[in-house]
Amino acid sequence: MGTAHLSIGCEGIILVKFTCNVKQYRVAKKLTQAELSDFTGVRRETIGRLENAQYVPSLETRI
């Protein structure tokens, strides 16, 4: 899945753990990145970055 950078504190660890599982959940639901993007209102590129642990969403990001 990609290398995760852990931030200090429980919240950061939880967010990184979540981002590492986005692809598993998406594939289990048989969704493409584009379909998940349309469903959530989050750009497809952001979905890809989440799946590769290159982005940790703020609390305001809803996926």
Side-chain angles (χ1 to χ4, degrees):
M1 289 243 165
T3 304
H5 297 280
L6 300 178
S7 59
I8 297 172
C10 294
E11 295 83 9
I13 293 170
I14 290 168
L15 286 173
V16 170
K17 183 176 180 180
F18 174 75
T19 60
C20 292
N21 292 314
V22 170
K23 185 172 184 177
Q24 284 179 289
Y25 295 129
R26 177 181 61 78
V27 171
K29 295 293 184 181
K30 299 180 181 173
L31 295 171
T32 65
Q33 285 183 349
E35 290 168 331
L36 181 58
S37 173
D38 290 342
F39 182 73
T40 60
V42 175
R43 292 178 47 206
R44 189 206 51 79
E45 293 83 3
T46 302
I47 301 294
R49 291 178 64 209
L50 283 166
E51 290 181 356
N52 292 309
Q54 296 173 336
Y55 173 72
V56 177
S58 69
L59 293 175
E60 297 172 3
T61 302
R62 297 169 193 212
I63 58 171

